[in-house]
Structures are given as structure tokens and as C-alpha cells.
Amino acid sequence: MDEAVTLLHSHAAFNGDATRLFSDIHTPLFNVLVAGALGLFGFGIVQAKLFSVCVAVAGVGTVTRFTEPVFGKRVALSSGALLAFSPFYVHYAQYARAYVLFVVMAT
């Protein structure tokens, strides 16, 4: 159900329908980014989930990159590995919703 709502709002963003885009309680930024990804990958639930997976992989790299100057290389690699193998992170990375984007934007 969540993926269908994401596809509906992203399709509206792709077609320029701003009223439907801003009617969602989630961030419109995510729907616009998914609309761009759907333009590249094709339209479907798998393609919308692929965008979330790509954001999740970028999130692991972002956490590792920003942790290294402060705590050193060993702690940075450990924090990246903890995030990459976290059951909650892997679970939410499979949804076509903005959950993983929030993690990336918070770091």
C-alpha cells in the first residue's frame, strides 16, 4: 500500500500535478526524487524501491565519511558496518518511502 501511494504521488510530481504532490503527509522532496528516479529506471514498484536502496547505500557511505574525521578510520568503518547490518535500517531501506532519506539528511 505504501509503495502504491508513493508511485501515485511521484507520478503526479512527474506530470506536474502540485496539488496531489503536496497532499501527502510525507516530504514532497522524496516524491520529486522518486519521480526523477522513475524517469531513469522506469515506472514500477521495484524501481521505486531501487531508489530507496540506493539512498540507503549512500547513507552508509555518508555516515562512514562524516565519522572518520572526528573519530578515526576504525570507528568510521565500524559505524558504517553497524548501520549497513542494522536490521531496522535494512528493513526500512526496502520500503519506497522517505524513511531512509531522513537518515541520510540527518547525517
Side-chain angles (χ1 to χ4, degrees):
M1 181 69 176
D2 282 341
E3 285 83 7
V5 171
T6 298
L7 285 175
L8 179 71
H9 290 294
S10 298
H11 186 64
F14 195 71
N15 292 332
D17 185 9
T19 56
R20 181 173 289 168
L21 176 64
F22 292 109
S23 68
D24 190 15
I25 61 169
H26 295 284
T27 59
L29 172 66
F30 181 75
N31 293 329
V32 170
L33 292 174
V34 169
L38 291 176
L40 291 174
F41 302 135
F43 190 78
I45 292 177
V46 173
Q47 289 81 359
K49 288 183 176 189
L50 179 63
F51 175 73
S52 293
V53 170
C54 291
V55 171
V57 170
V60 171
T62 303
V63 166
T64 304
R65 175 80 170 112
F66 288 131
T67 307
E68 184 178 1
V70 178
F71 297 107
K73 190 169 188 159
R74 186 168 40 165
V75 173
L77 292 174
S78 299
S79 64
L82 282 173
L83 183 63
F85 294 111
S86 168
F88 292 112
Y89 192 70
V90 171
H91 178 75
Y92 285 116
Q94 297 173 16
Y95 285 113
R97 298 303 275 171
Y99 308 130
V100 183
L101 185 64
F102 292 144
V103 172
V104 174
M105 291 174 62
T107 57

